[in-house]
Amino acid sequence: MLIVKKFGGTSVANKERIFHVADRCIAEYQKGNDVVVVLSAMGKYTDELIKMAKDINEKPPKRELDMLLTIGEQMSVALMAMAMNQRRVPAVSLNAFQVTMHTTSDHGNARLKRIDTERIRRELENRRIVIVTGFQGVNKYDDYTTLGRGGSDTTAVALAAALHADACEIYTDVDGVYTADPRKVPGARKLKEITYDEMLDLATLGAGVLHNRSVEMAKKYGVPLVVRSSLNDSEGTVVKEVTTVERMLISGVALDTDAVRIAVIGIKDMPGMAFKVFDTLAKKKINVDVILQSIGRAGTKDISFTVNKDDLEDAVATLEENQARLGYKELHSERNIAKLSIVGAGMMSNPGVAAKMFESLYNEGVNINMISTSEIRVTVLINEKDGIRAMNAVHDAFGLTD
Amino acid sequence: MLIVKKFGGTSVANKERIFHVADRCIAEYQKGNDVVVVLSAMGKYTDELIKMAKDINEKPPKRELDMLLTIGEQMSVALMAMAMNQRRVPAVSLNAFQVTMHTTSDHGNARLKRIDTERIRRELENRRIVIVTGFQGVNKYDDYTTLGRGGSDTTAVALAAALHADACEIYTDVDGVYTADPRKVPGARKLKEITYDEMLDLATLGAGVLHNRSVEMAKKYGVPLVVRSSLNDSEGTVVKEVTTVERMLISGVALDTDAVRIAVIGIKDMPGMAFKVFDTLAKKKINVDVILQSIGRAGTKDISFTVNKDDLEDAVATLEENQARLGYKELHSERNIAKLSIVGAGMMSNPGVAAKMFESLYNEGVNINMISTSEIRVTVLINEKDGIRAMNAVHDAFGLTD
């Protein structure tokens, strides 16, 4: 078997943890398996490097920032190879140039295009554990790039796809995917299996275990993903195309408090106006989520939508710059909101799921501001202060609580 | 003009110094010159990385140690490019993969084989300042290597040779090559010019300004070297094939207190025994300097020689392991010695130079233990406690004092 294992920054934050990860990988290797390990930068080292850069240049050129950031993972992989060597197990570390990891040229947010597997295969044939830098790539100009958020997960999945690995294990500080965040919902249960689509919705909704880019890629190439704990040996959650365990109606409840709502008030009621608003934002690469359009007074429309907190400033600035062209009257924004979602492949064939969710919220006295649905997801916008109470109520209503 | 400038770790140890170096390079660039900058790792960062490695693995694999160490220079060059960008001057940083710097495979002590200049030339044509990682290279297996001591100087000289640069300026914390170490000989004078050969002898003798590998390479390819201060604008010392200024008899006096003497007592007086001793040490890569062989008692020989302090333990261990084969009686070592040398192309045609040196030492009451000479150098072994006094006496005797 060929196994790709990915460990995040906290898993390699110090000497003890590095050896802990080394020993886990060695145990796999000693079963006779081929092992490829993908690592992030140690602890908060990437943040430290960014701080170092900004101390020199408030807006460092992205090409040079990537040049600086890639040293973080190179440090991790070199130290990991030394730790395995200390245990007398042959290991070799490889950076993006050595693999090679070909990406697009968008510094800070590059996409993987192609991975050369020759070097890795040769090292595996020589029975070495291969340790690869996550998060980084090389563009066609031979410059370093970084993959942005969730980059190391994406590296791991892409490597698993390119190497036709038997499994891609993502080690995190939780021991799998839960029906809800256990810190917020004490009775949350760990799922044995979940589909790519459910995981995608959970990832998008900020359930936080896996980044959606990596799940999308796993789905596209049919890479069997496993989410496991880096701290214990429990089995984790398998993410795959179709799950075989008996389906619950919904798989999980997710709460996202990183969203803010923007309301564009008094847009002329003409065709194409909504398009113009969202197109203007899209050109600034601002993602828009839950959208509500309503008829205002005197032949005008109001459009509300959510964006990520980090994009609020940009979104408002962009809309204000374009006020004349978009022809709206006012702009409001609301920070104290939360997005509560239920996700489950089981709900497709079960009408009444949404109704059940709304009922439980009504019983709990929680106001719903906006609603958005997909085939396997229902999302409602509520007040942030109601978030955790609402989450628990819905979790209970669907019988997910242990 | 194309100028290669090399700055060491202390010159880029913090933000202020990085900007200081950036501004010096920008001043050169704004004269219309092409500028290539070679940097070492910041301050003591390489030492910190080695410490980090040894904390994980007392004897880290050299391949992985190089993988770790190369991040030091990558950090320097990325931050330098950001600093220049902050000053609104276009700059690009390149590591050994991006250049490419081809080396042999000896990790930790690789030799440069070939430098691809295409990328650098393209960047210079686009009027960018090009900032290159010193000290590092890539071997034929696509693995990082490091060049060992004086590696960044070597990188700079090799780049200057490959690019046919008009000058290679080595910036240090002294402002040139002196007739003697000014901290030890208050009247020492800065030399305007010095030949490669003289510089080589001074480097070998621990005068410390330039590493001999870089001087050897400069001599081989006829690269005009300039040793300058990174702190002030004074003119520095030019190192070249033939100097044009009126020659002094000797160019400088060097004192090396890093040597220790080993005496191998009672070797059988048979042909090939001395060879065996030195061959045994050479196989351990221990460099042997000043050698004295003398007839001992009862048909035996004694051999004395010096090695660097750092090699003493290794040398003694190696000789002890081979005592039976080498057939000697005793091994002595002496730490409190110093090597005092005079260097000068002028002495070739001037008999009596050595005699003058010995006379000045005699007058000062300094005992000479061993003597070694080359065409442009006379070295004597003396007691360490006499070192600075002897150095000043010789410096005076040759009229070098201001």
Side-chain angles (χ1 to χ4, degrees), chain A residues 165-199:
Chain A
D166 297 284
C168 178
E169 302 179 344
I170 308 287
Y171 289 81
T172 70
D173 49 0
V174 296
D175 59 357
V177 182
Y178 277 75
T179 53
D181 186 337
R183 287 166 302 184
K184 292 171 186 158
V185 179
R189 278 183 300 186
K190 190 169 74 182
L191 296 164
K192 272 198 126 149
E193 296 182 343
I194 189 169
T195 67
Y196 294 123
D197 285 333
E198 290 171 322
M199 194 65 230

Side-chain angles (χ1 to χ4, degrees), chain B residues 47-300:
Chain B
D47 293 340
E48 280 174 43
L49 290 170
I50 291 173
K51 208 176 139 199
M52 205 184 272
K54 297 212 162 169
D55 188 39
I56 298 255
N57 187 329
E58 191 53 45
K59 292 211 167 194
K62 286 183 174 179
R63 190 257 177 210
E64 299 300 335
L65 187 60
D66 281 354
M67 185 82 170
L68 185 70
L69 294 188
T70 51
I71 74 178
E73 293 81 34
Q74 193 170 318
M75 181 185 283
S76 300
V77 296
L79 293 175
M80 184 61 70
M82 293 175 193
M84 291 182 180
N85 174 278
Q86 171 73 20
R87 299 286 201 240
R88 297 173 188 284
V89 171
V92 62
S93 68
L94 299 175
N95 67 16
F97 272 98
Q98 292 167 323
V99 168
T100 310
M101 293 274 183
H102 302 273
T103 71
T104 60
S105 286
D106 315 289
H107 290 291
N109 195 27
R111 303 255 145 192
L112 280 164
K113 281 164 60 185
R114 197 177 81 251
I115 298 178
D116 297 340
T117 56
E118 196 198 319
R119 173 81 190 256
I120 295 178
R121 288 198 185 280
R122 200 167 60 237
E123 301 289 357
L124 290 175
E125 272 161 29
N126 290 329
R127 280 300 285 155
R128 291 202 175 103
I129 296 179
V130 179
I131 309 158
V132 178
T133 51
F135 182 65
Q136 59 183 245
V138 178
N139 69 14
K140 65 179 169 188
Y141 306 109
D142 251 7
D143 287 335
Y144 266 123
T145 56
T146 59
L147 304 183
R149 285 176 113 190
S152 290
D153 288 356
T154 308
T155 304
V157 173
L159 269 172
L163 294 164
H164 305 291
D166 297 284
C168 179
E169 302 179 343
I170 309 286
Y171 288 80
T172 71
D173 50 1
V174 295
D175 60 357
V177 182
Y178 276 74
T179 52
D181 186 336
R183 289 167 300 184
K184 291 172 187 159
V185 179
R189 279 183 300 185
K190 190 168 75 181
L191 296 164
K192 271 197 125 151
E193 297 183 344
I194 189 171
T195 68
Y196 294 123
D197 285 332
E198 289 171 322
M199 193 66 230
L200 270 175
D201 264 329
L202 287 172
T204 312
L205 293 167
V209 181
L210 286 175
H211 198 272
N212 55 358
R213 277 172 68 189
S214 56
V215 182
E216 272 164 22
M217 189 177 282
K219 183 187 174 188
K220 186 170 171 190
Y221 295 102
V223 174
L225 274 181
V226 186
V227 179
R228 300 184 64 171
S229 166
S230 58
L231 306 169
N232 63 50
D233 276 333
S234 79
E235 281 203 348
T237 301
V238 178
V239 188
K240 51 189 199 174
E241 190 58 51
V242 178
T243 63
T244 50
V245 290
E246 203 180 341
R247 298 291 331 183
M248 286 179 286
L249 203 56
I250 72 167
S251 293
V253 181
L255 182 71
D256 175 9
T257 55
D258 281 343
V260 290
R261 186 173 53 163
I262 296 178
V264 188
I265 309 287
I267 300 179
K268 260 190 212 139
D269 190 8
M270 279 166 51
M273 292 313 286
F275 164 77
K276 272 193 190 167
V277 167
F278 296 122
D279 185 54
T280 304
L281 293 170
K283 278 181 180 148
K284 290 279 178 177
K285 306 218 169 184
I286 296 167
N287 271 324
V288 164
D289 200 4
V290 192
I291 300 171
L292 181 77
Q293 181 171 305
S294 62
I295 307 293
R297 279 154 298 178
T300 62

